[in-house]
Amino acid sequence: MPNRINVLQVEQYKKLLKDVGFVIAVGYPKLNVAGIDELRGKLEGMGCSMLFVRNRLVNIAMKELGHGEVKDICKEQTAFVWGEDPVSTARFLVDFRKEHAELQLHGALLEKAILDTKQVVELSKSPTKEELKSIISGQILAMGGTLSAQLLAGGGLVASQIEKIAKGDEEAA
């Protein structure tokens, strides 16, 4: 029979992680308290969350939520980090790790796929949601501007011909 405290902990993990689309697992065994406080403060400023987990219990919770096993990214002391955008969160953690080498990237769970440390670093180099929105809107505006110019060019040519005819300059037309 499972321990009642463990059952409650699994339920708490399920409650906190049920609507999360991704988590990045970080290790912190050599990170001091000041470093952890700095990390948590900066994550909160970005709108991200950080949860210190018990590996075996969070693995059970994630399986019950249908995310699959996360035991490959839960090593030693593990904390889960998540937020609005996986790319900006990964980018922040990679940059934070440059200043605090004690922070370890164990991997990530992104849309039911397990990513290793190298893949998390590659993810951090991808454009964020805001950057992608900007790129797409720029491309849409550029195509609209080109179409508008092409539509107006034909009308401008016709208008100049009509103007020349109206002035009596039929030879030029």
Side-chain angles (χ1 to χ4, degrees), residues 59-108:
N59 190 46
I60 293 168
M62 295 301 267
K63 279 196 295 190
E64 288 181 9
L65 287 171
H67 294 300
E69 288 194 359
V70 292
K71 65 182 177 185
D72 293 338
I73 60 173
C74 292
K75 306 167 190 168
E76 300 172 349
Q77 294 174 329
T78 304
F80 279 180
V81 178
W82 70 91
E84 286 285 318
D85 179 27
V87 175
S88 59
T89 305
R91 189 176 294 169
F92 167 76
L93 290 171
V94 168
D95 290 342
F96 188 86
R97 193 173 70 160
K98 290 176 185 173
E99 299 170 13
H100 301 276
E102 304 87 16
L103 183 71
Q104 303 167 352
L105 291 176
H106 290 193

